Amino acid sequence: MSYLFKLLKPLLTATYITALSFSASSIAFAHGHQEHNANQQADIMVMNGYARATFPLAKTGAVYFTLHNQSDKDKILTSVTVSEELASEAQIHTTVMEGDVMKMRELADGVTIGAGEMVSFESGGYHIMLLGLNKGLVEGSELKLTLIFQGNDELGITLPVKKDGAKSHHSHH
């Protein structure tokens, strides 16, 4: 039996490791799949989302993503909430040119995402401003936001914090 065990041990070990990695990848897939289903229930898919990393004492931050309205009705993103541990508030903003100066404005009426359409929230356009940060946004961490649509439909999202090579225009606030 000892000879058989020595012969089978590498095969059993490989089988065990394969089973463990399959189990882990199944859990990861299921987790991602559940989040995708949650997005589909709201008829909105959030793609390519991230928050821009800041310096440690920053009081503002920016969040970018693309919203895809997969329904046959227009959706209006009316507001965004964030944990008070992270920031005092989150606002929907756009960037406008006034003469030669780029300025940001809060969009109190929200942003409409047409049926079957996509709207990008990006530097120089629509974006989410985090105001009153309690600490800087550290590259490699994550943050949670709740997107609120007309009719009080809510969509919770978790986004990574990344460095962004784009020049920040947020000093004009």
Side-chain angles (χ1 to χ4, degrees):
M1 185 159 184
S2 149
Y3 175 72
L4 182 61
F5 181 74
K6 282 181 184 178
L7 230 125
L8 292 177
K9 185 176 179 183
L11 180 62
L12 292 172
T13 303
T15 304
Y16 179 72
I17 290 170
T18 303
L20 277 179
S21 71
F22 178 77
S23 175
S25 64
S26 296
I27 290 167
F29 173 77
H31 178 68
H33 191 67
Q34 286 169 349
E35 287 183 279
H36 184 69
N37 282 344
N39 291 352
Q40 284 185 334
Q41 288 170 359
D43 296 322
I44 295 288
M45 181 186 294
V46 179
M47 301 178 298
N48 306 320
Y50 71 98
R52 181 186 290 156
T54 66
F55 61 93
L57 298 176
K59 290 297 175 194
T60 61
V63 179
Y64 308 109
F65 47 75
T66 298
L67 295 179
H68 182 193
N69 180 355
Q70 299 177 321
S71 76
D72 57 1
K73 296 180 183 173
D74 291 355
K75 300 283 184 176
I76 301 173
L77 177 63
T78 57
S79 62
V80 179
T81 61
V82 63
S83 160
E84 288 181 11
E85 293 173 18
L86 179 65
S88 58
E89 94 181 282
Q91 295 179 350
I92 303 167
H93 279 209
T94 192
T95 307
V96 295
M97 287 297 292
E98 289 184 7
D100 292 337
V101 180
M102 212 177 234
K103 294 188 175 186
M104 278 170 275
R105 299 284 178 247
E106 180 181 6
L107 295 173
D109 295 333
V111 174
T112 300
I113 304 97
E117 294 182 1
M118 288 189 265
V119 174
S120 291
F121 286 67
E122 57 195 7
S123 184
Y126 296 132
H127 57 278
I128 304 301
M129 282 300 300
L130 302 176
L131 304 173
L133 286 176
N134 292 314
K135 60 182 178 180
L137 301 176
V138 179
E139 182 181 17
S141 63
E142 293 182 332
L143 61 83
K144 293 181 181 190
L145 298 172
T146 301
L147 306 180
I148 302 171
F149 295 87
Q150 190 172 43
N152 289 324
D153 290 335
E154 294 185 1
L155 178 60
I157 60 173
T158 300
L159 300 175
V161 176
K162 299 180 181 180
K163 280 189 181 174
D164 185 329
K167 183 179 176 184
S168 174
H169 302 287
H170 296 278
S171 60
H172 299 291
H173 268 273

